[in-house]
Amino acid sequence: MNKIIEEAKEKFGKVLEAQLKRVEKINQTKEFIDYKSLDKIIIGVVGGDGIGPYITAEAEKVLKFLLDGKPVEFKEIDGCTIENRAACGKAIPDDVLEELKKCHVILKGPTTTPRAGDPWPNIESANVAMRKELDLFANVRPVKVPDQGIDWTFYRENTEGSYAVGSNGIHVNDDLAVDFCVTTTEGSERIARAAFEYAKKTGKTRVTAVTKANVIKTTDGKFLKICQDVAKDYPEITLDDWYIDIMTAKLVDPKRRTEFQVLVLPNLYGDILTDEAAEFQGGVGTAGSANIGKRYAMFEAIHGSAPRMVTEGRAKYADPCSMFRACVMLLEHIGYTDIAKKLETALDICMYQEKKYVITGRDTGVTGAEFSQYVMDTIKSL
Ligand code: IPM
Ligand code: MG
């Protein structure tokens, strides 16, 4: 028994060491990159797996059309496929990571995440690894359903919580497995501040912190306390706090849910709640997601790689709208606000108002390529 505990302590020690090093690193990067100071902005494009390359290609086409003549360079990055990642035994192969680090922003298609029982080795998710490697701490996920009064922006903490050590839990012995949940002062403060800054910039009046601080007292308690501290710097904005269980229920309460504006929450709750939220808007296929750090930012769909659509020969009918929404966020992030607005307006027309062509995911609807042409034609007519 003692030997087992000593071994586990040693592993725990390593976990703590790695996390303390991460805190040091967070403290080293103080300022956000200023895109205006760059001669050109390098946009990396990662197709990913399954339907990823199909929908990413459509998004790249639309981005190139919109940014024609602007000081940007597109850099296609191969090798972030499940086959190559499995062959290298790495969540992100070294050469791919090196290429990613040469970019300023990245447009990324969904990547397959292996789980126990899959034909792939159980490597870490490429999403999670990319968020950690590039320190993309804020996962921003907007959800809007105007005719139901829904206008939410989720600020999901993206590098800590249950994900920080997600692939390195400890099997103490055959009977006991332990995972870790990590909250740091630096990590919580920067996500809370990002949420409040966004609220301030966009004239929102309320930020809602979502935790389970009544039970997960140490880490969620710390997260909530830091949100409350940060809130003191924004007296014009109200902070309220909810527990994740009741928040999950209240999102389906038509009266209550319209009151929420900006929500800030630890990683795992953010993962779950944003899928639920996206469902009101038409499903995860319609939602984009921004992963923002101080030096890098990555924009993606919130859904997976849908390998079944590929095996059933339906990949060309996959809906690229989640990636188009990601492009709106990318354009906004690098300072092309007017162009972002144009794309957003065109998407609202094509997806919700005019609906001249409809994507169904099968041959009963148009292909992704036909839909992106529709979006570009709509942009031209604006
Ligand atoms: C997401 C996804 C990822 C996550 C998966 C693919 C690891 O669900 O971006 O929400 O859990 O963060
Ligand atoms: Mg998710």
Side-chain angles (χ1 to χ4, degrees), residues 111 113 125 127-128 131 139 141 156 158 163 267 270-271 274-275 289 291 300-304:
T111 43
T113 301
S125 140
N127 293 38
V128 174
R131 292 166 186 166
N139 191 335
R141 297 183 159 181
R156 164 190 178 190
N158 214 18
Y163 281 62
N267 211 336
D271 177 47
T274 53
D275 270 18
S289 163
N291 298 265
E300 60 179 349
I302 84 166
H303 57 79

Side-chain angles (χ1 to χ4, degrees), residues 61-299:
K61 215 192 278 175
V62 172
L63 263 192
K64 281 185 169 159
F65 163 75
L66 283 165
L67 290 173
D68 188 32
K70 301 280 188 251
V72 298
E73 181 190 318
F74 285 84
K75 189 176 171 63
E76 273 139 39
I77 301 171
D78 300 322
C80 203
T81 58
I82 182 67
E83 292 81 8
N84 193 38
R85 289 184 284 127
C88 301
K90 288 211 155 176
I92 303 177
D94 294 341
D95 53 337
V96 173
L97 188 58
E98 213 176 287
E99 289 300 298
L100 290 172
K101 288 189 173 170
K102 290 180 192 157
C103 303
H104 299 106
V105 292
I106 296 151
L107 179 68
K108 179 187 147 300
T111 43
T112 298
T113 301
R115 59 176 170 201
D118 281 355
W120 312 108
N122 204 9
I123 45 178
E124 188 180 37
S125 140
N127 293 38
V128 174
M130 207 179 287
R131 292 166 186 166
K132 283 186 195 164
E133 286 289 349
L134 305 180
D135 203 19
L136 309 174
F137 65 88
N139 191 335
V140 186
R141 297 183 159 181
V143 169
K144 273 193 200 144
V145 191
D147 59 0
Q148 290 178 28
I150 292 175
D151 183 0
W152 301 321
T153 308
F154 293 87
Y155 271 74
R156 164 190 178 190
E157 200 296 317
N158 214 18
T159 52
E160 311 201 328
S162 309
Y163 281 62
V165 196
S167 298
N168 288 307
I170 301 176
H171 286 284
V172 178
N173 65 9
D174 285 348
D175 298 324
L176 179 61
V178 180
D179 263 320
F180 300 99
C181 186
V182 178
T183 297
T184 68
T185 304
E186 292 75 3
S188 308
E189 205 193 310
R190 62 184 181 173
I191 188 71
R193 209 161 278 289
F196 275 97
E197 279 297 313
Y198 170 79
K200 187 172 161 183
K201 200 177 81 191
T202 53
K204 311 265 184 208
T205 52
R206 183 170 175 186
V207 172
T208 303
V210 184
T211 67
K212 187 75 189 175
N214 50 342
V215 176
I216 316 294
K217 293 185 194 294
T218 311
T219 46
D220 278 7
K222 183 175 178 71
F223 187 93
L224 178 57
K225 165 86 176 48
I226 290 173
C227 288
Q228 287 162 341
D229 289 346
V230 170
K232 290 181 193 141
D233 293 341
Y234 301 85
E236 71 283 16
I237 298 167
T238 311
L239 174 77
D240 55 349
D241 89 88
W242 288 70
Y243 297 135
I244 180 66
D245 47 354
I246 190 65
M247 174 53 78
T248 312
K250 286 300 156 197
L251 282 199
V252 288
D253 174 343
K255 261 196 236 116
R256 181 66 87 165
R257 69 180 173 206
T258 57
E259 292 168 11
F260 301 117
Q261 300 177 12
V262 180
L263 299 97
V264 61
L265 59 183
N267 211 336
L268 183 59
Y269 309 142
D271 177 47
I272 298 166
L273 205 67
T274 53
D275 270 18
E276 186 198 4
E279 198 63 24
F280 297 111
Q281 175 184 277
V284 288
T286 61
S289 163
N291 298 265
I292 313 277
K294 295 210 163 151
R295 164 66 181 81
Y296 299 99
M298 182 263 279
F299 301 82

Side-chain angles (χ1 to χ4, degrees), residues 348-363:
D348 287 344
I349 293 172
C350 298
M351 290 168 74
Y352 301 122
Q353 294 153 25
E354 188 183 73
K355 294 198 269 191
K356 196 153 95 190
Y357 300 100
V358 179
I359 292 254
T360 60
R362 11 191 113 244
D363 60 9

Side-chain angles (χ1 to χ4, degrees), residues 7-52:
E7 276 170 12
K9 275 191 196 164
E10 202 177 303
K11 286 185 193 155
F12 184 43
K14 294 219 170 88
V15 166
L16 297 184
E17 232 171 74
Q19 291 306 309
L20 288 171
K21 274 210 189 109
R22 194 172 59 78
V23 171
E24 261 172 42
K25 247 173 98 189
I26 296 180
N27 282 329
Q28 278 162 15
T29 327
K30 293 264 180 263
E31 298 296 324
F32 277 94
I33 186 169
D34 176 13
Y35 296 103
K36 285 199 198 79
S37 71
L38 303 172
D39 292 337
K40 65 173 177 198
I41 299 174
I42 303 175
I43 304 175
V45 180
V46 177
D49 299 307
I51 59 168

